[in-house]
Amino acid sequence: MSMDYRLVRHLMYFLTVAEERHFGRAAERLGISQPPLSNQIKVLEHALGVQLLDRSRNGVRLTPEGQAILPHLQRFADHARRLENAVTEAKNGRSLNMVIGAVTSAMFSPLGPTIRELRNCRPDLNISLIEMDSSDALSALENEEIDVAFVRANRVWAPLEVLPLFEDQLVVALPDNHPLLSENAVSLPMLANERMVLCPRRVSPVYHDQIISACQQAGFSPRIFHEAKSILSQIAFVGCGIGVALVPLSLQNLGTVGVEFRPLLEKVDVITTALAWSKLRKHPDNDLLADIARKSMVK
């Protein structure tokens, strides 16, 4: 079956409008005028037989049908960008691809040196790095959308293999006017009545469960006041005075405004970086990457 490239173009127009939530900004981003863009979206809606956008003077919002197709379209656009990149790299002599998913916090570990060393060892390898949540990265591995992932995990997720690389200790992130800053160290029971900022379990099940377990062992269930999308977001919300957070020690030197850190009296270790891959679809350079990553994490 041949591909209808006009439909693909119309879908990309819709994706841009959906991301901007405004026809004028979407048209500017696409480099076309607004009336033709609006007409193209109407043509798309007619072809699909559904209304994708609700239009008003304040902008646009997605209809339930528009919301239903948006995630699939975003993945399609992501694959299209990877394909375009692969073609460019192939022209430059890099014919083999490796797509790596990585959690945000891994960017602040020796991931950078690991990728650079891999490039030095395999100059013909085209490496694509995608920022992803742990749960999304593990799902992407199972769906064969990426080759390897740097995630927060500490066990095998069949049919995936997980190699823990870096273990860190938890510290307490506090707003810079918090009374607990008078303490040289903070014990977990001191946080029993504090409003806590935590990553939702769906984003990073292992990291979430480790913190919940540590609090429960200290005799309380944490009062989760706000859920942040990443550990870095946790620290940022602490800086806004939203609450306190338990975060890895390695992130306390980021220099976030309005945040200070105190060590925990209890020693609570968490896996902050692990390398994961599919047993069913192992990349030819997987062992090389694992070896480089292990050496980088030791430094």
Side-chain angles (χ1 to χ4, degrees), residues 125-146:
L125 182 65
N126 172 35
I127 302 171
S128 298
L129 185 61
I130 305 171
E131 185 178 1
M132 310 178 80
D133 296 330
S134 291
S135 57
D136 288 343
L138 293 170
S139 295
L141 284 173
E142 291 187 69
N143 296 330
E144 299 186 358
E145 296 173 358
I146 61 176

Side-chain angles (χ1 to χ4, degrees), residues 173-178 195-197 225-226 228 231-245 255-261:
L174 300 164
D176 59 7
N177 60 351
H178 198 283
R195 299 184 302 183
M196 294 191 67
V197 181
F225 185 75
H226 185 84
I231 297 177
L232 297 181
S233 297
Q234 280 183 272
I235 298 174
F237 279 112
V238 171
C240 294
I242 301 298
V244 305
T256 307
V257 176
V259 182
E260 293 194 31
F261 300 87

Side-chain angles (χ1 to χ4, degrees), residues 75-296:
R75 285 195 291 271
F76 176 81
D78 184 50
H79 283 296
R81 284 189 289 269
R82 292 187 212 171
L83 175 60
E84 183 179 22
N85 184 54
V87 171
T88 301
E89 293 297 321
K91 290 179 180 178
N92 294 330
R94 300 185 181 96
S95 56
L96 186 60
N97 298 313
M98 175 181 278
V99 182
I100 303 174
V103 295
T104 307
S105 60
M107 307 292 183
F108 295 89
S109 70
L111 177 59
T114 296
I115 300 301
R116 287 195 295 270
E117 180 61 23
L118 180 61
R119 289 186 184 278
N120 291 335
C121 293
R122 288 298 313 273
D124 60 329
L125 182 65
N126 172 35
I127 302 171
S128 298
L129 185 61
I130 305 171
E131 185 178 1
M132 310 178 80
D133 296 330
S134 291
S135 57
D136 288 343
L138 293 170
S139 295
L141 284 173
E142 291 187 69
N143 296 330
E144 299 186 358
E145 296 173 358
I146 61 176
D147 296 302
V148 293
F150 288 86
V151 295
R152 287 185 292 274
N154 60 356
R155 62 180 177 84
V156 174
W157 297 62
L160 305 181
E161 192 74 39
V162 176
L163 172 67
L165 294 171
F166 186 69
E167 187 175 77
D168 207 348
Q169 294 181 23
L170 288 180
V171 296
V172 186
L174 300 164
D176 59 7
N177 60 351
H178 198 283
L180 285 177
L181 290 175
S182 62
E183 305 287 339
N184 292 325
V186 176
S187 68
L188 281 171
M190 292 180 182
L191 304 178
N193 296 318
E194 295 289 339
R195 299 184 302 183
M196 294 191 67
V197 181
L198 185 62
C199 292
R201 192 177 190 280
R202 66 179 181 277
V203 169
S204 183
V206 170
Y207 177 71
H208 180 278
D209 291 349
Q210 286 175 316
I211 290 180
I212 297 295
S213 176
C215 292
Q216 290 176 341
Q217 289 178 20
F220 71 98
S221 293
R223 295 174 56 206
I224 303 175
F225 185 75
H226 185 84
E227 290 189 329
K229 293 183 178 179
S230 69
I231 297 177
L232 297 181
S233 297
Q234 280 183 272
I235 298 174
F237 279 112
V238 171
C240 294
I242 301 298
V244 305
L246 293 167
V247 300
L249 172 66
S250 58
L251 297 183
Q252 71 175 1
N253 296 320
L254 292 178
T256 307
V257 176
V259 182
E260 293 194 31
F261 300 87
R262 289 293 182 270
L264 272 178
L265 289 174
E266 299 87 353
K267 188 175 183 294
V268 180
D269 295 328
V270 290
I271 298 295
T272 58
T273 309
L275 183 65
W277 64 90
S278 173
K279 297 178 182 178
L280 305 178
R281 183 176 174 268
K282 190 174 180 179
H283 192 278
D285 290 307
N286 194 102
D287 291 339
L288 174 61
L289 174 61
D291 184 57
I292 293 173
R294 277 193 294 259
K295 292 178 181 177
S296 297

Side-chain angles (χ1 to χ4, degrees), residues 15-74:
L15 176 60
T16 306
V17 175
E19 291 175 342
E20 296 292 340
R21 294 295 199 274
H22 193 277
F23 271 99
R25 291 193 297 270
E28 182 178 356
R29 180 172 148 190
L30 291 166
I32 61 177
S33 60
Q34 184 172 334
L37 175 59
S38 181
N39 288 336
Q40 294 292 342
I41 298 299
K42 290 178 181 177
V43 170
L44 174 63
E45 290 176 323
H46 178 75
L48 297 178
V50 295
Q51 183 178 349
L52 300 174
L53 300 169
D54 282 332
R55 301 154 175 85
S56 70
R57 291 183 178 180
N58 297 326
V60 296
R61 64 181 182 87
L62 298 179
T63 63
E65 293 81 3
Q67 292 174 344
I69 72 169
L70 182 60
H72 302 283
L73 190 53
Q74 288 172 325

